[in-house]
């Protein structure tokens, strides 16, 4: 039951933009891909992350916690790879 970094990025993008279509634009992906990956993540976690009946799309109470943790995970991964992005040439 692994959640991917890509799914976490999609969830963050939807939460920040309030829209699956805007998130797709930001992530350079199809809206259907974003929707499918978020739904897959929701299925894996056994909870809804977004209330899709509102415009803009809103996070559920559980979703708010998931989005915050997703942001922390992405930040940690970025910190992990930061030293290796621009290696010093000898």
């Amino acid at each position: 039951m692994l959640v991917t970094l890509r799914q976490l990025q999609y969830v963050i993008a939807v939460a920040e933009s309030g829209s699956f279509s805007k998130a797709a634009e930001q992530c350079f992906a199809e809206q259907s891909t974003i929707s499918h990956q978020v739904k897959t993540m929701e299925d894996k976690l056994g909870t809804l992350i977004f209330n899709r009946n509102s415009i803009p799309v809103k996070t559920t109470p559980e979703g708010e916690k998931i989005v915050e943790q997703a942001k922390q995970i992405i930040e940690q991964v970025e910190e992990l790879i930061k030293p290796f992005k621009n290696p010093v040439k000898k």
Side-chain angles (χ1 to χ4, degrees), residues 18-34:
S19 165
F20 282 83
S21 58
K22 288 179 184 174
E25 289 175 20
Q26 292 173 2
C27 295
F28 304 102
E30 296 292 326
Q31 185 270 328
S32 60
T33 300
I34 302 286

Side-chain angles (χ1 to χ4, degrees), residues 26-72:
Q26 292 173 2
C27 295
F28 304 102
E30 296 292 326
Q31 185 270 328
S32 60
T33 300
I34 302 286
S35 295
H36 175 74
Q37 289 300 313
V38 169
K39 176 73 171 108
T40 298
M41 186 170 159
E42 289 174 328
D43 290 345
K44 286 179 182 179
L45 297 176
T47 189
L48 290 177
I49 299 171
F50 298 105
N51 176 357
R52 292 163 174 80
N53 296 324
S54 67
I55 298 176
V57 172
K58 301 279 188 194
T59 53
T60 63
E62 297 85 3
E64 289 179 27
K65 294 174 188 174
I66 292 167
V67 169
E68 285 308 309
Q69 288 184 349
K71 288 178 180 180
Q72 291 173 7

